[in-house]
Amino acid sequence: QVQLVQSGTEVKKPGASVRVSCKSSGNTFTDYYFHWVRQAPGQGLEWMGWVNSQTGDTNHPQKFRGRVTMTRETSTTTAYMEMSSLRPDDTATYYCAANYGGNDRFDYWGQGTLVIVSS
Amino acid sequence: DIQMTQSPSTLSASVGDRVTITCRASRHINGWLAWYQQKPGKAPKLMIYMASSVESGVPSRFSGSGSGADFTLTISSLQPDDSATYYCQQYYSSISFGGGTKVEI
């Protein structure tokens, strides 16, 4: 069973960057893909992409290419999502999620990290 | 990109009612569909995968069906704890979610 624990709330100014971490425990880290899914207040779920924890390969929908970087650190079994050029409409709860197969269902979820972008 | 459309967006029902939520994909997704339950302030929870396989630990009143581009989530006898928002997700081609259905009791 995998447990995912995310970093805490972030408050950023427009134009800044944010990095959110997702610490994995309970199973072999490199067996999984780590995804990021965000949810604006009162809105639905939006998939942002994945990082293959074994190879470091990433996949993002076009909307996030160039502004979002997903990485992982195998020594600390932690995945990261960094977003640059933040805008107020990036205010959302950011979830990490893990699965075995990349484009697959999400078996495990972190608790979410609230990112607030406001001047 | 595959678009996922859920209906209704909100439904109100009583304890014991049979409830059905629909999810339609913009093209066939060959059964590569999951359903999640999300309660306020919590992460989504996987309920159904491969359109009709029930995740371990999920109550038997939850079931999924469908094929091609049309899918349903059914709660056979609604319970107070089922009050939540439900999302479908396709993973046939990339990943995308439906807009959600809020179930009120």
Side-chain angles (χ1 to χ4, degrees), chain B residues 1 8 29 34 49 66 85-86 93:
Chain B
D1 294 359
I29 56 172
Y49 60 96
T85 300
Y86 294 84
S93 175

Side-chain angles (χ1 to χ4, degrees), chain A residues 41-78:
Chain A
Q43 302 302 307
L45 303 169
E46 181 176 30
W47 177 69
M48 301 176 65
W50 54 248
V51 56
N52 179 324
S53 59
Q54 188 165 64
T55 65
D57 291 342
T58 59
N59 181 35
H60 311 281
Q62 182 66 39
K63 173 178 182 176
F64 294 107
R65 287 176 196 163
R67 205 161 68 93
V68 170
T69 303
M70 296 180 185
T71 58
R72 92 287 186 229
E73 197 169 86
T74 55
S75 61
T76 59
T77 66
T78 303

